[in-house]
Amino acid sequence: MSASQSQLRADAAENRARVLAVSRELFAERGLEVPMAAIARRAGVGVATLYRRFPTKESLVMEAFTEQFAVCQAVIDEALADPDPWRGFRTVIEKVCLLQATDRGFTAAFVATFPEMHSEVRERTWHCFGELVDRAKASGQLRADFSPHDLTLVLMANNGLAGVPVEVAVAASQRLVAYLLESFRTGTDALPPPVPLSLDLVLS
Amino acid sequence: MSASQSQLRADAAENRARVLAVSRELFAERGLEVPMAAIARRAGVGVATLYRRFPTKESLVMEAFTEQFAVCQAVIDEALADPDPWRGFRTVIEKVCLLQATDRGFTAAFVATFPEMHSEVRERTWHCFGELVDRAKASGQLRADFSPHDLTLVLMANNGLAGVPVEVAVAASQRLVAYLLESFRTGTDALPPPVPLSLDLVLS
DNA sequence: TGACAAGTGGAGACCCCCGTCCGCTTGGCT
DNA sequence: AGCCAAGCGGACGGGGGTCTCCACTTGTCA
């Protein structure tokens, strides 16, 4: 990596880093539709600088989120290492949904770059999750008719909560996830408290 | 109403009606971001005609969806008339979510125009649903910690399923709703079959 | 049937976005 | 210290959106 980074002049490298940091901030706050000019302005550089480092907006998005994708994979790996399959399963869903609720650009970036990722990576993730599901079913804690496709269902549903202020989104997401996990499992326990959502919140 | 309609010349009235019909079609198919020019083209009129009848795109949206809003209110009224409170409750959620899944512009229009509706209407809808919830709880079929705010939660979550082909969205929505209703209730029965969702579908 | 108000459509003003071009600046090496 | 390639930023082209303006057409009523 020092090959591509250290080739850059010191100031250029610093700018590049600042651009990435700012991108992550703004994408998280306002979603991927934030204009390149806004990123440039907040990073204190010109638009041209952005495009010199990242030939396209999409490439910037991709770069800005690779870290998050790694986190995702780590979450699944960790879950597979958990001796309790249900806890692993639950944790994956909780953590990924939290990530989604916290970072407004995350899902969009996820679906946008998903087709571009080496299918190898996709396959691996999918396979791992499938294994998690099988184990959880085998342990009798996950309902038998749960489908791995339901993970996508959860992610998409949870994504519908984006667009409200972060704290609200997080609380709402937690309650949604709790409801769903309760359906997924054989058993019951207390939900997090209701969230006073209002459709007005979507306007912000 | 005939006051404002019959003032229009015959051809103008016909154009207006066709514009509204086309709007509903396109909003349902492609969401609210469909350009005014596209609506005009499909309706076989010029852009100016649109703007003469509907001073702003927002006003067109509002007009195009008032019918759907009426359907919503009707659904709730019908549910209140149902002697079985749980069935009423369940039906409201199922029907509204189906509406959402079928019509891509519906939710967007709903949240967009919600703040503009006479608060009288909002209050009434909200009040009715609250009553439905109370009755369902009293009958012991709805969990006690269900909050009316959870309706908004469901709507937002269900909205996250928009953007995939309609048939898929409907199937996914049905499964999501089934999962959630199962959580909301004290009891259990069979879910609709899993939906082979893929994140790729979002790209369409 | 003829006159005129009501109706019409397309060109274009204005704005916002992505991505490029080009003349100026500056870090880094000798 | 001085050179120069690497770096820089702002102006600009191209596309697409909402909404307006205006010269032309057409329904309607006497």
Side-chain angles (χ1 to χ4, degrees):
Chain A
M1 69 184 101
S2 69
S4 67
Q5 302 271 88
S6 57
Q7 228 98 327
L8 287 176
R9 235 166 53 180
D11 55 342
E14 193 190 327
N15 278 345
R16 190 190 136 95
R18 205 165 51 249
V19 163
L20 267 180
V22 165
S23 298
R24 280 190 265 259
E25 271 176 38
L26 287 182
F27 287 151
E29 282 170 27
R30 305 206 246 140
L32 296 189
E33 73 276 15
V34 56
M36 292 296 260
I39 297 175
R41 205 178 324 118
R42 179 145 10 156
V45 301
V47 208
T49 301
L50 256 67
Y51 283 100
R52 197 162 324 100
R53 294 304 156 230
F54 309 95
T56 204
K57 181 173 183 176
E58 193 192 332
S59 69
L60 173 59
V61 168
M62 206 126 122
E63 188 99 6
F65 281 97
T66 45
E67 185 184 315
Q68 304 260 30
F69 295 150
V71 171
C72 274
Q73 186 60 55
V75 164
I76 292 196
D77 289 343
E78 190 185 351
L80 272 176
D82 195 314
D84 179 346
W86 168 258
R87 191 172 56 198
F89 174 85
R90 176 167 51 79
T91 308
V92 166
I93 290 187
E94 284 172 348
K95 284 196 180 165
V96 176
C97 285
L98 182 61
L99 226 52
Q100 246 186 332
T102 306
D103 189 328
R104 202 154 161 175
F106 176 69
T107 313
F110 194 61
V111 303
T113 57
F114 207 60
E116 321 234 333
M117 289 163 65
H118 300 313
S119 57
E120 175 205 339
V121 180
R122 301 172 61 157
E123 293 303 326
R124 170 149 183 273
T125 307
W126 196 249
H127 172 77
C128 289
F129 184 72
E131 181 141 341
L132 208 52
V133 167
D134 288 343
R135 286 202 217 161
K137 281 184 188 173
S139 81
Q141 291 167 288
L142 177 62
R143 60 189 300 160
D145 59 354
F146 182 90
S147 159
H149 288 300
D150 287 333
L151 174 63
T152 312
L153 186 66
V154 173
L155 293 179
M156 291 177 75
N158 190 64
N159 188 228
L161 274 38
V164 297
V166 191
E167 321 84 48
V168 182
V170 168
S173 168
Q174 281 168 347
R175 192 163 166 98
L176 177 68
V177 167
Y179 270 134
L180 288 172
L181 283 175
E182 199 171 303
S183 255
F184 295 161
R185 191 178 44 173
T186 343
T188 302
D189 62 13
L191 289 175
V195 184
L197 281 170
S198 156
L199 288 172
D200 296 336
L201 290 169
V202 182
L203 302 173
S204 72
Chain B
M1 65 185 104
S2 71
S4 67
Q5 301 274 84
S6 57
Q7 228 99 326
L8 286 175
R9 238 165 55 179
D11 56 342
E14 193 190 327
N15 278 344
R16 190 191 137 95
R18 202 165 52 249
V19 163
L20 268 180
V22 165
S23 299
R24 281 191 263 262
E25 271 177 37
L26 287 182
F27 288 150
E29 280 171 27
R30 303 206 249 141
L32 297 189
E33 73 277 16
V34 56
M36 292 296 262
I39 297 175
R41 205 179 325 119
R42 180 147 8 156
V45 300
V47 206
T49 301
L50 257 65
Y51 283 100
R52 200 166 321 101
R53 295 302 157 233
F54 310 94
T56 204
K57 182 174 183 176
E58 192 191 332
S59 69
L60 172 59
V61 168
M62 206 125 121
E63 189 99 9
F65 280 98
T66 46
E67 185 185 314
Q68 303 262 30
F69 295 151
V71 172
C72 274
Q73 185 60 56
V75 166
I76 292 197
D77 289 344
E78 191 185 350
L80 272 177
D82 195 314
D84 179 347
W86 168 259
R87 190 171 58 199
F89 174 86
R90 176 168 50 78
T91 309
V92 166
I93 290 186
E94 284 172 350
K95 284 197 180 164
V96 175
C97 285
L98 182 62
L99 226 52
Q100 247 186 330
T102 306
D103 187 330
R104 201 153 163 178
F106 176 69
T107 313
F110 195 62
V111 303
T113 57
F114 207 61
E116 321 232 335
M117 288 164 65
H118 300 312
S119 58
E120 177 206 337
V121 179
R122 303 173 61 159
E123 292 305 324
R124 170 150 183 272
T125 307
W126 196 249
H127 173 78
C128 289
F129 184 72
E131 181 142 338
L132 207 54
V133 167
D134 288 343
R135 285 200 219 162
K137 281 184 188 174
S139 82
Q141 290 168 287
L142 177 61
R143 62 189 298 159
D145 59 355
F146 182 90
S147 158
H149 289 299
D150 287 334
L151 174 62
T152 313
L153 186 67
V154 173
L155 293 179
M156 291 175 75
N158 189 65
N159 188 226
L161 274 39
V164 298
V166 191
E167 320 83 50
V168 182
V170 168
S173 167
Q174 282 167 347
R175 190 162 167 100
L176 177 69
V177 166
Y179 269 135
L180 287 172
L181 283 174
E182 198 171 304
S183 255
F184 296 160
R185 191 177 45 174
T186 341
T188 303
D189 61 13
L191 288 175
V195 183
L197 282 170
S198 155
L199 287 172
D200 296 335
L201 289 169
V202 183
L203 301 175
S204 70

